[in-house]
Amino acid sequence: MLRFYIKSYHLQSACVINIWSTRCLSSANKLISHDEIRTWNHSLRELLRHGKLEEVLEQYHNRKSTLEDLSIQTYCIIFKAFTLTKKWSEAHRLYTQIQTNTKLYNDQQLKIATEQILADLLASLPTSTKPHHIDPTVFSIVMTGYNLHRQPDKTLITFDRVQCPDAISYLLAFQACALLKNLQKGKELAKKLEKLNIDLGKNFKLQTALFDMYGKCGDVPNAETIFDMIENPTIVHYNSLLKVYNNNKMYDKAFELYYKLKQNQKNLIPDQITFSCILYSVAKIAHSDRCQDILNDLNSSKIHLDQHPILQTSLIHALGKCGDITTAQKIFDQITQERTTGIYNVLMKGYIYAQTPLTALSIFDKISKPDTISYLIAINACAQISMLRRARILYDQILSNFPSCKEDIRIMNALIDMFGKCADVNVAQQLFNMIEHKDIISYNALINAYGLNGYGLKAFNIYNSLLKNSTLIPDEKTFSILINACSHSLLVNEAEQIFDSIPIKSRNVFIYATMIDTLCRASKINQAENLLVQFEQTNRKYPPMYITLLTAYARVGNINKVIEIRDFIQEHFPTDFHYISSATILLANTYAFLDNMNEAKRLRTILTETNKLRGISKLPGISWTETNDGQIHEFIAHDKRHERTEDIYEELKYISDKLSKDGHKSDRRWITSDHNCSELTDPLHTHSERLALAYQLLLRRTIPSNEPIQITKNLRICGDCHEIFKRITRIYTGLIILIRDRTRYHKFQQGECSCNDFF
């Protein structure tokens, strides 16, 4: 705990102790047996019990020169004697001895004992004693204790009692200011520090404390100023400033500093902390090229990943966030020591980012001791695939292995979200009712659950109950999801009322974007454009808003406006390749809807070649469906991976014949890619959601069922698939199909959809 005192106070004694400790370790138990140690400890305890403290210490000092290996119990007794005699300096030396001996320092029993000694020291410090009558070491120990016990306000009170504070006193005080995020007090202390004859350039621990204080208090310029003052910054300084940038979400600055470190002329080498910090930055911005650069640097370094579990976790997390789940899995597989729950968790997250939740769930099943984060990620995976049966299995598993989950509001909120996305709003409501102290996230989750399932009025009722809660205030996300809920239930007037009720200063970019989307879905495109203009009067242009407008004009076939907006996006967001790609796809689709298939194909070909050069890959359409045996099956467009592929395609042909007899003709304008479909008479017939449906209907030939067929798609359902699903529920009497796509739930029944074709 107080290792940093060695250089300042007891460097000479620490060296002696270190030599003595080394000899102890090399010849443990050779000069005295365990029985003799136990006997001696018993004697010391008796002396301690009868108040003969000096005699205890005298025996300790007398035996110290010949005793090669003291037991843990001996140390506990001596600590107590030092504390009761108030010999703080000698107690401090013993602290130092323990810290230089890994075997002792890692002993849990001794850790508990030292915490108790520290507590005794805190309690025994007399408030009436004049500061200059107290050993200065005591103040440092007490301040350290307060910081370790998360009582930084008491640290600062103790600091004020120090008559002549030194560098260590200021270091501890700065740590307290960082914990309190009290920038004003920190600056006051910094001004006082300037009056002392302390060279910051040579006291890197004090500099680190200042970095940390300024960084956690959000004063990055001062942290940078201190860094620039250092004549020869060490890797510790670089790491400290990297943390400051990360704490303040200045990830570009972190990269600048990292590259500056790589180019330094002092032969400084990034260490495991450096890589952990910069990988954190990479994960936050999900920059795949930079992630690859850092991975190359790490592979070229002398750092062995197997020796640094935290670095392994950081690397796997960054790779997952950057979309390189293959490399993340490879690194995970190469781990030779026992894998921590944290490493499993970040790999699961990687598969969530890659939209492969089934793999994430399979990893979850391998964790021997899942923690709260494990359960939250698994719940997220279940929410992504939206299979109710699997969600119920996970819920039962959580109740069985984590009975206190009902007291963990994060778990409860996540479960509300999961069941809402699995179309079971009743269970979502029950879970909401079970939470004794609801927070704003609880309300948001339930509002969103009703909104996704087309129950806009119920979502509105939950919002009204939130307004009656005097302890909670709706946040930006509340308004955004409520407007979205109204949008999916054709409650456009209600959405406008909500938007108008939000103070202009509280309308963030997501609220504007959701309202613009709502107006576009209601074919109020002019109003949407006016709202976008209003937004840009005080804000920067936001590309998703233009994509929304473009989609609305594409829906009504206004090719001139689609071209105009696509060109605008290319001009104003030249580096946002994903938005340019989306806009171009929508333009190609619009040409297709207008029967200009040649121009549509030309645009798609150009886009495919351009994206290939940019390293951009189109997200494939994936559909999941769950069978009665609890198995979840995954399909992609034109998929032939399933073990019953031949039967599934036969079933598709059978369905197509029925649809043709019903008068359906495929709307080939929805063919939005140039897959090699030479073997297919109609590529639309093998969209992922249709393959999932065909498999379910195939199974029902042998095992009839009245339960709804449930399918989840990671993208928006196409218009042709939406139309044939309506027709199929009319052709197959009593059939109900539940489909959750990227934006909402669709319940197909008796030839109609719950979205009223408003999707």
Side-chain angles (χ1 to χ4, degrees):
M1 294 178 289
L2 304 175
R3 191 177 302 157
F4 50 77
Y5 285 113
I6 296 173
K7 290 186 180 179
S8 302
Y9 287 107
H10 305 287
L11 181 59
Q12 184 176 356
S13 62
C15 292
V16 173
I17 289 167
N18 190 42
I19 295 170
W20 181 87
S21 300
T22 304
R23 289 176 180 172
C24 288
L25 290 172
S26 64
S27 57
N29 299 322
K30 288 184 179 179
L31 299 182
I32 186 168
S33 68
H34 289 297
D35 289 339
E36 288 174 324
I37 291 177
R38 282 195 294 269
T39 302
W40 187 52
N41 286 345
H42 177 74
S43 174
L44 291 178
R45 284 195 199 94
E46 286 299 306
L47 291 172
L48 193 66
R49 189 167 65 87
H50 289 90
K52 297 181 179 181
L53 308 176
E54 293 295 343
E55 192 170 341
V56 171
L57 296 177
E58 184 180 355
Q59 284 201 29
Y60 166 67
H61 290 304
N62 289 340
R63 299 290 297 268
K64 189 175 180 181
S65 58
T66 57
L67 186 61
E68 295 292 333
D69 191 18
L70 297 180
S71 71
I72 299 300
Q73 290 74 22
T74 309
Y75 279 109
C76 294
I77 294 167
I78 302 305
F79 260 125
K80 190 68 174 178
F82 277 140
T83 304
L84 293 174
T85 57
K86 294 182 172 54
K87 294 188 177 182
W88 309 119
S89 294
E90 294 185 51
H92 170 245
R93 290 190 186 97
L94 192 52
Y95 264 99
T96 305
Q97 178 181 339
I98 289 171
Q99 289 182 321
T100 56
N101 188 319
T102 306
K103 175 184 175 183
L104 296 172
Y105 188 65
N106 291 331
D107 186 272
Q108 191 61 32
Q109 181 183 356
L110 189 55
K111 281 186 177 181
I112 295 171
T114 54
E115 287 177 8
Q116 183 59 50
I117 295 302
L118 184 57
D120 291 344
L121 173 57
L122 295 176
S124 66
L125 184 63
T127 56
S128 60
T129 305
K130 292 182 180 180
H132 63 272
H133 289 155
I134 301 176
D135 190 317
T137 306
V138 175
F139 285 116
S140 298
I141 295 175
V142 171
M143 291 168 68
T144 301
Y146 281 135
N147 282 346
L148 289 173
H149 287 78
R150 295 288 170 175
Q151 298 177 352
D153 51 337
K154 293 184 179 179
T155 300
L156 296 178
I157 293 172
T158 305
F159 175 84
D160 291 336
R161 295 189 63 196
V162 183
Q163 190 177 35
C164 298
D166 57 9
I168 293 175
S169 302
Y170 276 99
L171 184 150
L172 294 166
F174 285 133
Q175 288 178 347
C177 290
L179 289 169
L180 291 167
K181 291 184 171 56
N182 189 338
L183 181 59
Q184 182 178 352
K185 181 66 175 178
K187 286 185 174 181
E188 290 176 7
L189 292 174
K191 286 184 179 179
K192 290 181 180 179
L193 181 64
E194 290 175 2
K195 299 177 182 179
L196 297 180
N197 189 23
I198 297 176
D199 186 357
L200 281 177
K202 295 180 180 179
N203 194 324
F204 71 89
K205 289 178 180 175
L206 189 54
Q207 290 165 351
T208 301
L210 275 167
F211 283 155
D212 189 55
M213 186 274 291
Y214 281 128
K216 287 182 178 176
C217 293
D219 191 347
V220 179
N222 263 322
E224 292 175 322
T225 299
I226 295 170
F227 181 85
D228 293 337
M229 287 168 51
I230 306 168
E231 185 176 350
N232 294 307
T234 67
I235 193 64
V236 175
H237 298 114
Y238 277 96
N239 292 344
S240 180
L241 193 53
L242 280 173
K243 290 177 183 177
V244 168
Y245 286 140
N246 282 340
N247 288 339
N248 290 275
K249 302 180 180 180
M250 301 172 70
Y251 308 118
D252 287 336
K253 283 270 193 179
F255 283 109
E256 289 177 15
L257 185 64
Y258 175 73
Y259 291 125
K260 180 180 178 181
L261 169 61
K262 287 176 61 178
Q263 296 166 3
N264 79 89
Q265 304 298 316
K266 304 296 182 180
N267 295 321
L268 292 179
I269 300 173
D271 60 13
Q272 65 272 15
I273 297 175
T274 313
F275 283 115
S276 291
C277 288
I278 200 63
L279 285 169
Y280 178 90
S281 305
V282 168
K284 284 296 182 181
I285 63 173
H287 197 297
S288 57
D289 290 341
R290 285 179 174 174
C291 186
Q292 187 59 50
D293 288 343
I294 294 164
L295 178 59
N296 293 338
D297 292 343
L298 186 55
N299 289 334
S300 301
S301 73
K302 296 181 180 180
I303 296 174
H304 298 287
L305 275 176
D306 247 12
Q307 298 174 5
H308 303 286
I310 294 176
L311 182 54
Q312 287 174 332
T313 303
S314 300
L315 180 57
I316 292 172
H317 178 58
L319 288 166
K321 284 293 294 287
C322 294
D324 191 355
I325 192 62
T326 302
T327 305
Q329 180 69 62
K330 181 180 178 181
I331 291 170
F332 179 86
D333 293 337
Q334 290 173 348
I335 296 174
T336 57
Q337 79 273 31
E338 184 179 356
R339 296 181 177 92
T340 64
T341 300
I343 290 179
Y344 277 103
N345 289 345
V346 293
L347 187 63
M348 287 170 63
K349 282 185 180 179
Y351 281 106
I352 293 290
Y353 300 138
Q355 295 205 26
T356 51
L358 284 180
T359 309
L361 287 173
S362 69
I363 293 169
F364 172 75
D365 292 335
K366 297 175 184 176
I367 304 177
S368 57
K369 294 181 180 179
D371 58 15
T372 302
I373 302 301
S374 310
Y375 287 119
L376 288 171
I377 299 170
I379 293 170
N380 187 5
C382 271
Q384 198 175 105
I385 57 175
S386 301
M387 295 293 115
L388 184 57
R389 190 178 285 104
R390 184 66 178 85
R392 287 171 176 166
I393 291 171
L394 177 61
Y395 183 40
D396 290 340
Q397 186 177 353
I398 293 172
L399 290 177
S400 175
N401 299 330
F402 189 22
S404 61
C405 70
K406 294 179 181 179
E407 300 171 8
D408 191 321
I409 195 165
R410 294 176 301 168
I411 295 288
M412 295 298 286
N413 290 340
L415 288 170
I416 293 170
D417 178 70
M418 177 184 74
F419 279 106
K421 289 176 178 176
C422 291
D424 196 337
V425 290
N426 291 329
V427 172
Q429 180 71 66
Q430 291 169 13
L431 289 165
F432 178 84
N433 295 339
M434 288 165 58
I435 302 175
E436 184 175 357
H437 301 291
K438 302 173 180 65
D439 60 12
I440 191 63
I441 299 174
S442 310
Y443 280 92
N444 290 348
L446 190 60
I447 292 170
N448 192 49
Y450 280 120
L452 282 176
N453 289 279
Y455 300 113
L457 290 176
K458 289 188 176 181
F460 213 90
N461 290 337
I462 300 300
Y463 171 70
N464 288 331
S465 69
L466 167 61
L467 296 180
K468 296 175 184 177
N469 189 322
S470 59
T471 61
L472 296 176
I473 300 175
D475 60 11
E476 290 88 350
K477 189 167 185 179
T478 310
F479 294 121
S480 181
I481 60 177
L482 182 60
I483 292 170
N484 191 55
C486 292
S487 170
H488 287 303
S489 297
L490 300 178
L491 302 173
V492 182
N493 293 335
E494 287 80 357
E496 290 179 307
Q497 290 173 12
I498 294 165
F499 182 82
D500 292 339
S501 71
I502 304 171
I504 293 178
K505 291 183 179 180
S506 300
R507 298 175 186 172
N508 67 5
V509 61
F510 301 109
I511 292 174
Y512 272 100
T514 307
M515 191 64 222
I516 289 171
D517 179 69
T518 300
L519 293 170
C520 286
R521 287 175 183 274
S523 298
K524 295 185 176 183
I525 307 178
N526 290 335
Q527 285 181 241
E529 284 196 277
N530 293 336
L531 189 58
L532 188 149
V533 171
Q534 177 186 322
F535 169 79
E536 291 182 350
Q537 289 175 355
T538 54
N539 300 277
R540 293 194 308 172
K541 293 177 173 59
Y542 185 55
M545 294 180 182
Y546 286 92
I547 294 294
T548 299
L549 277 178
L550 195 156
T551 303
Y553 280 118
R555 189 179 295 125
V556 296
N558 190 331
I559 188 66
N560 293 329
K561 290 295 291 186
V562 172
I563 294 172
E564 177 188 328
I565 296 172
R566 197 283 300 260
D567 292 345
F568 181 91
I569 291 172
Q570 282 188 320
E571 178 184 353
H572 288 84
F573 312 107
T575 60
D576 289 330
F577 302 128
H578 288 284
Y579 293 119
I580 294 173
S581 177
S582 297
T584 305
I585 289 172
L586 286 166
L587 176 58
N589 292 352
T590 307
Y591 274 119
F593 271 73
L594 297 174
D595 291 326
N596 190 342
M597 302 304 293
N598 290 333
E599 185 62 17
K601 185 174 182 179
R602 186 187 72 83
L603 283 171
R604 289 171 187 152
T605 302
I606 293 173
L607 183 62
T608 299
E609 294 174 354
T610 304
N611 284 348
K612 191 176 294 184
L613 292 173
R614 292 171 177 167
I616 299 174
S617 57
K618 182 183 176 184
L619 186 67
I622 305 173
S623 292
W624 299 279
T625 190
E626 188 176 28
T627 50
N628 291 334
D629 58 1
Q631 295 295 312
I632 298 173
H633 299 260
E634 179 182 278
F635 297 92
I636 61 174
H638 325 305
D639 204 346
K640 292 190 176 181
R641 299 172 301 163
H642 199 279
E643 60 184 2
R644 298 195 64 181
T645 291
E646 189 174 337
D647 296 333
I648 291 171
Y649 275 77
E650 281 295 322
E651 187 68 21
L652 277 174
K653 186 177 182 305
Y654 177 76
I655 294 170
S656 297
D657 291 341
K658 278 186 169 291
L659 289 168
S660 296
K661 291 178 182 178
D662 192 59
H664 174 69
K665 293 183 179 179
S666 292
D667 190 342
R668 296 182 66 85
R669 297 174 301 177
W670 288 99
I671 301 175
T672 58
S673 62
D674 293 320
H675 286 287
N676 183 11
C677 303
S678 58
E679 298 179 8
L680 304 171
T681 56
D682 189 343
L684 293 173
H685 286 183
T686 50
H687 274 186
S688 62
E689 57 266 53
R690 297 200 203 184
L691 290 169
L693 175 64
Y695 181 57
Q696 286 283 12
L697 292 177
L698 175 66
L699 294 179
R700 293 192 177 202
R701 286 178 175 272
T702 54
I703 308 175
S705 174
N706 293 323
E707 289 189 10
I709 291 175
Q710 196 170 9
I711 299 170
T712 300
K713 186 175 182 180
N714 65 328
L715 303 177
R716 183 170 168 263
I717 188 173
C718 87
D720 191 67
C721 288
H722 192 272
E723 175 62 27
I724 72 106
F725 274 64
K726 289 196 299 183
R727 286 178 177 269
I728 285 174
T729 57
R730 187 175 65 246
I731 296 170
Y732 289 77
T733 305
L735 180 64
I736 299 174
I737 304 172
L738 293 174
I739 292 188
R740 187 175 83 82
D741 68 4
R742 188 176 61 186
T743 59
R744 62 160 298 148
Y745 247 105
H746 301 265
K747 183 177 182 179
F748 297 95
Q749 187 175 17
Q750 296 179 348
E752 301 293 335
C753 179
S754 59
C755 75
N756 295 309
D757 298 339
F758 191 68
F759 69 100

